[in-house]
Amino acid sequence: MNICVIGTGYVGLITGACFAEFGVNVVCIDKDEKKISQLKKGIVPFYEPGAEELLQRNLKANRIIFTTNVADAVKNSLVIFIAVGTPPRGDGSADMSYVEEVAKEIGKHSDGYKVVVTKSTVPVGTGERIKQIISKNLKSKVKFDVVSNPEFLREGSAVEDFMRPNRVVIGAENKQAIAILKDLYRPLYLIETPFVITNVKTAELIKYASNAFLAVKISYINEIANLCEALGVDVQVVAKAMGLDQRIGPKFLHAGPGYGGSCFPKDTNALAKISRGNNILLNLVEAAIKTNRNQKQRMVDKIMAGTKGVRGKTIAILGLSFKPNTNDIRESPAMEIAQDYLSFKLGAKIRAYDPEAMQDARKVMPKAIYCKDAYDAVKGADALVIATEWNQFRNLDLARLKKLMKGKFFFDLRNIYDPKKAREAGFEYYSTGRV
Ligand code: UGA
């Protein structure tokens, strides 16, 4: 089968490369010529474990090609995935202009039956809108179907999530389109992946409802963590016992500085906006948005209270990406805490280290000193803040860190150290939801 994927950002590239791995012929399209020429050489423009090997293998096998030419790709493909960005607008709603532009192009260049699939997270009703735009732009009377097939990939484990998903959701109105999508995903059928077949609108809502639920779950445990601090209780024990209840489950119950990334903050805001537009108030989602904002402020308050103010002091920040195994700093709590609060508002000097995100961080936090590793970052620092739980931060030599630092304050926002051991090493240790 020949397919094309429009948009070679995170979702588009992983989707394209993984379908190529399934043996499908994939054309990936982007307007950005520089990006396309890099991808042709097998260079992935972001850090994602396994992505570059996957791309290079499929380039070599001629199963994936890259181009800026939408017209030819659309003409030669039976299935067209839309994977362009839907960035947030000032009011929280999703900016649909890229999706609409792509729909126009698809309409203009379709010369036979096409299945047009949205992968991007789009507001409920977008499928219908895409249908109208394509119809309006068709040059001849050809048939097409619009399908919603939301992605559930997590950055840092996207390839694994694609190859072994918990479920595949297909929203379509027509049996032929469903059969074509099922055929495309046949390798997953063989490993008994559950498929949810539904209509377009439902599939669109499933994506928002899933992401918002996880955001609520994280905010819930973060609030419980705050209560744990007041009561002298360990949130990790509470979360562990809660998670053993199969109705709750252990995942996404890690207390920390709040969720970040390009999805949860954007999608919770967009869902709240969609709901308000339909005269429905999603109180829990609105509360999660507020709790998440407060959680970052709480981390800063904790650092301020512990150090008795940070003005002029040096703070070592370990971890800048919004989570481990990615170089993505979009809406990263680590960046917000370091740049917006500690450095900009409160006048601290920042020494930072992250295994993958420093190149991007430099552009938004140019005043910070970027270091070669964790030990380099803490040199002469008054306080250490672990903001993102990269594996390489989990087993640092605490005595060595303490010796290199000027001060004794250690803020482990991700709860990766044993409080007793950290205190034994001479630190004044603070974490999230543990005393
Ligand atoms: C999220 C969803 O998990 C994916 O299913 C979805 O496909 C994706 O958004 C998307 O819509 O594209 P992602 O943003 O890559 O994936 O990362 P997550 O692993 O979900 O983490 C999001 C944030 O929550 C991170 O800042 C992480 O540190 C935080 N988090 C996660 C916690 O604070 N505690 C937890 O227990 C889990």
Side-chain angles (χ1 to χ4, degrees), residues 10-11 121 150-157 161 167 207 210-211 214-215 217-218 221-222 250-267 292 321-324 326 331-333 387-389 414:
Y10 196 84
V11 173
T121 305
E151 58 81 21
F152 299 100
L153 311 176
R154 286 163 305 168
E155 292 189 22
S157 46
D161 284 352
R167 80 300 208 186
K207 174 62 198 257
S210 302
N211 270 6
L214 293 172
K217 196 172 179 188
I218 297 167
I221 200 65
N222 282 341
K251 296 192 176 149
F252 283 70
L253 277 185
H254 300 288
Y259 58 78
S262 64
C263 304
F264 288 174
K266 169 172 78 77
D267 294 349
N292 202 52
S321 54
F322 82 97
K323 62 185 259 187
T326 174
E331 302 272 342
S332 166
T388 309
E389 71 281 28
R414 300 282 184 170

Side-chain angles (χ1 to χ4, degrees), residues 37-52:
S37 79
Q38 277 206 318
L39 287 165
K40 278 182 180 168
K41 292 183 207 142
I43 302 167
V44 174
F46 48 80
Y47 176 75
E48 177 64 36
E52 211 151 76

Side-chain angles (χ1 to χ4, degrees), residues 16 22 98 124 163 185 193 230-231 250 273 294 326 332 353 369 378 404 416 423:
F22 285 174
Y98 300 113
V124 182
M163 297 293 176
Y185 278 112
T193 305
L231 297 175
K273 172 96 182 135
N294 292 347
T326 174
S332 166
Y353 173 69
I369 296 168
V378 301
L404 289 165
I416 59 179
R423 288 184 184 122

Side-chain angles (χ1 to χ4, degrees), residues 147-427:
V147 173
S148 165
N149 171 221
E151 58 81 21
F152 299 100
L153 311 176
R154 286 163 305 168
E155 292 189 22
S157 46
V159 176
E160 173 67 17
D161 284 352
F162 192 98
M163 297 293 176
R164 298 190 177 278
N166 290 169
R167 80 300 208 186
V168 172
V169 175
I170 299 173
E173 320 296 336
N174 174 308
K175 279 197 181 128
Q176 187 182 0
I178 295 168
I180 291 170
L181 262 278
K182 274 187 171 173
D183 193 28
L184 201 51
Y185 278 112
R186 203 176 35 206
L188 297 183
Y189 246 89
L190 301 178
I191 56 166
E192 294 184 2
T193 305
F195 276 62
V196 178
I197 311 290
T198 180
N199 60 32
V200 175
K201 259 190 186 176
T202 310
E204 288 168 342
L205 184 58
I206 287 169
K207 174 62 198 257
Y208 278 112
S210 302
N211 270 6
F213 180 81
L214 293 172
V216 168
K217 196 172 179 188
I218 297 167
S219 287
Y220 180 78
I221 200 65
N222 282 341
E223 289 204 320
I224 293 292
N226 300 340
L227 179 61
C228 285
E229 286 176 15
L231 297 175
V233 168
D234 184 337
V235 72
Q236 282 185 317
V237 181
V238 175
K240 184 176 175 197
M242 282 173 66
L244 287 169
D245 183 329
Q246 285 177 10
R247 293 169 301 174
I248 298 174
K251 296 192 176 149
F252 283 70
L253 277 185
H254 300 288
Y259 58 78
S262 64
C263 304
F264 288 174
K266 169 172 78 77
D267 294 349
T268 43
N269 278 311
L271 182 61
K273 172 96 182 135
I274 294 167
S275 310
R276 274 184 252 120
N278 283 281
N279 294 322
I280 298 293
L281 241 194
L282 291 188
N283 289 307
L284 283 174
V285 176
E286 306 256 4
I289 296 169
K290 197 168 152 203
T291 298
N292 202 52
R293 220 173 16 240
N294 292 347
Q295 191 68 2
K296 287 174 258 185
Q297 177 70 56
R298 211 182 142 83
M299 299 296 127
V300 176
D301 292 346
K302 195 180 281 183
I303 296 167
M304 287 294 282
T307 56
K308 315 250 172 336
V310 296
R311 187 161 299 279
K313 290 186 182 156
T314 301
I315 314 286
I317 308 275
L318 297 187
L320 297 169
S321 54
F322 82 97
K323 62 185 259 187
N325 294 327
T326 174
N327 64 335
D328 197 341
I329 55 166
R330 283 176 288 176
E331 302 272 342
S332 166
M335 288 298 293
E336 202 174 323
I337 291 168
Q339 163 72 352
D340 301 356
Y341 290 100
L342 297 178
S343 167
F344 191 68
K345 280 196 192 132
L346 302 167
K349 293 179 201 144
I350 304 292
R351 289 177 68 81
Y353 173 69
D354 185 286
E356 295 292 338
M358 294 202 286
Q359 204 181 335
D360 290 335
R362 244 187 209 111
K363 293 177 203 150
V364 280
M365 190 164 65
K367 273 194 183 162
I369 296 168
Y370 292 90
C371 304
K372 71 174 196 309
D373 60 23
Y375 298 104
D376 186 26
V378 301
K379 274 183 194 155
D382 296 280
L384 159 64
V385 177
I386 296 189
T388 309
E389 71 281 28
W390 284 86
N391 272 344
Q392 59 174 268
F393 302 151
R394 288 181 185 272
N395 212 1
L396 295 167
D397 179 342
L398 293 181
R400 185 170 161 209
L401 287 177
K402 176 72 186 47
K403 220 164 152 195
L404 289 165
M405 284 172 65
K406 190 167 90 189
K408 59 177 177 185
F409 302 106
F410 182 179
F411 301 91
D412 176 8
L413 308 186
R414 300 282 184 170
N415 291 342
I416 59 179
Y417 281 90
D418 176 351
K420 195 163 157 261
K421 284 198 182 133
R423 288 184 184 122
E424 277 166 9
F427 283 107

